[in-house]
Amino acid sequence: MKENINHVSDFKWRNRVFVVVENGRIDLLNSIIENKKKLEERDFVVVLVRDNKSYIDGQEMSAKFTKSIFRKIKHSRKNYSLFLIGKDGEVKHSYLENT
C-alpha cells in the first residue's frame, strides 16, 4: 500500500493522518506505538517526520510524499510537533510539543 502513496492527498476520504515531527520526545512516540491498533481502527495513519524525511510504519516514504507533508504543515509554527489532518485533507489541529 505504501508504495502507491505519493502525496498526502492520497489518503483523502480514506484516512485521518497524524503527522508527528520527531523532536526527541520518546514518550510521545511510545504512546503512539502503544495505541497503533486503536488508531488504525479509527482510520488513522501515522506519519513520522525526522531529519527532513517521512516514514510510515518505519518505511521511508518518497521525497514527493515528504514534500507534500511539508507543504501541508508549513503554515504552522515551529514549536508544533503533532498535526491532525482530517479525511477531507485539511489540517484540523496542531499540537504544541509540550502537550
Side-chain angles (χ1 to χ4, degrees):
M1 172 188 138
K2 291 175 226 46
E3 299 80 29
N4 299 330
I5 303 297
N6 291 308
H7 197 278
V8 69
S9 66
D10 292 341
F11 292 112
K12 194 171 185 177
W13 303 119
R14 294 184 305 148
N15 297 96
R16 295 171 186 90
V17 179
F18 263 134
V19 179
V20 181
V21 179
E22 203 276 332
N23 60 3
R25 287 198 51 207
I26 294 173
D27 56 332
L28 175 62
L29 294 175
N30 285 340
S31 180
I32 290 169
I33 290 167
E34 289 171 8
N35 291 293
K36 187 174 185 325
K37 180 93 170 142
K38 291 178 185 174
L39 290 169
E40 288 174 350
E41 289 171 357
R42 290 170 179 81
D43 298 326
F44 278 98
V45 170
V46 178
V47 176
L48 175 64
V49 175
R50 177 188 296 141
D51 299 328
N52 292 318
K53 295 181 181 177
S54 65
Y55 303 85
I56 297 177
D57 294 333
Q59 179 181 337
E60 186 176 339
M61 301 303 289
S62 70
K64 184 176 180 179
F65 178 82
T66 301
K67 194 176 204 180
S68 75
I69 288 289
F70 286 133
R71 274 195 306 267
K72 184 63 72 176
I73 65 174
K74 74 179 176 183
H75 296 295
S76 298
R77 295 189 327 231
K78 291 185 185 248
N79 57 341
Y80 284 78
S81 62
L82 183 63
F83 303 87
L84 172 60
I85 300 172
K87 285 188 175 184
D88 64 355
E90 297 301 316
V91 176
K92 300 298 181 187
H93 205 294
S94 302
Y95 300 89
L96 291 168
E97 53 183 60
N98 62 357
T99 57

